[in-house]
Amino acid sequence: MQVLVLNGVNLNTLGKRDPTIYGTLTLNELETQIYTWGHELGLTVRCRQSNHEGEFIGWIHDALGEMDGVVVNPGAWSHYAYSIRDALDILTVPIVEVHLSNIHEREEWRHHTVIEDVATHRIVGKGAQGYKEALEFIAQGGTA
Ligand code: DQA
């Protein structure tokens, strides 16, 4: 099973961003963990991160017909980028929306995401562990 793990805007600054909210792992360390978890689950994982919306959308388009599942944390784009929502909506494979922090317990504008209705499953507030659960969800067939 091929799984794409996408991290969006500002997630390259993990480790420098408020560690009380986002944890202490750098993106590189997080991706290393994700590759290890993927390997343990028998998944072929590809991690990518971008601060450029068009590039991010291009990767979602490329996943069509190629990937068996997508794990996505679009960062702040989650809250307003309908372009990313529409790109994800084209996919027919399980999509797991992940947020490191608990967006429901933060500022009001973070409570809603424009991708929640196209995501098959969502995991918030579990830090890096959320990505592990997302991979497990996809490995188990991607149904709740
Ligand atoms: C985030 C939550 C978003 O509100 C924020 O803009 C991020 C990261 C998270 O993983 O908790 O950049 O998606």
Side-chain angles (χ1 to χ4, degrees):
M1 262 182 150
Q2 308 266 350
V3 180
L4 179 64
V5 178
L6 289 177
N7 282 298
V9 63
N10 292 316
L11 288 162
N12 58 308
T13 66
L14 286 178
K16 296 182 197 139
R17 282 181 102 175
D18 190 340
T20 62
I21 295 176
Y22 296 111
T24 53
L25 287 188
T26 64
L27 179 66
N28 196 28
E29 290 164 345
L30 173 65
E31 290 183 342
T32 300
Q33 285 265 31
I34 290 169
Y35 284 122
T36 303
W37 290 325
H39 184 73
E40 286 167 3
L41 290 164
L43 303 171
T44 304
V45 174
R46 181 80 172 99
C47 293
R48 288 187 175 277
Q49 186 277 332
S50 184
N51 296 316
H52 302 278
E53 192 175 324
E55 182 176 45
F56 197 79
I57 288 169
W59 292 335
I60 297 170
H61 292 167
D62 292 346
L64 188 60
E66 297 295 322
M67 294 289 161
D68 302 299
V70 174
V71 177
V72 62
N73 179 356
W77 286 329
S78 314
H79 308 295
Y80 65 88
Y82 291 103
S83 49
I84 290 172
R85 182 233 173 262
D86 281 354
L88 290 169
D89 195 28
I90 299 165
L91 301 180
T92 54
V93 295
I95 298 167
V96 186
E97 176 183 1
V98 173
H99 299 282
L100 291 155
S101 64
N102 187 346
I103 54 175
H104 303 298
E105 291 180 352
R106 299 183 62 195
E107 302 94 319
E108 179 109 32
W109 61 269
R110 293 186 203 270
H111 295 185
H112 170 69
T113 75
V114 297
I115 68 165
E116 61 193 30
D117 70 313
V118 293
T120 317
H121 187 50
R122 78 198 302 231
I123 300 165
V124 307
K126 296 193 173 178
Q129 195 68 19
Y131 291 83
K132 184 179 187 207
E133 290 185 21
L135 293 176
E136 287 168 351
F137 178 83
I138 290 171
Q140 285 159 15
T143 46

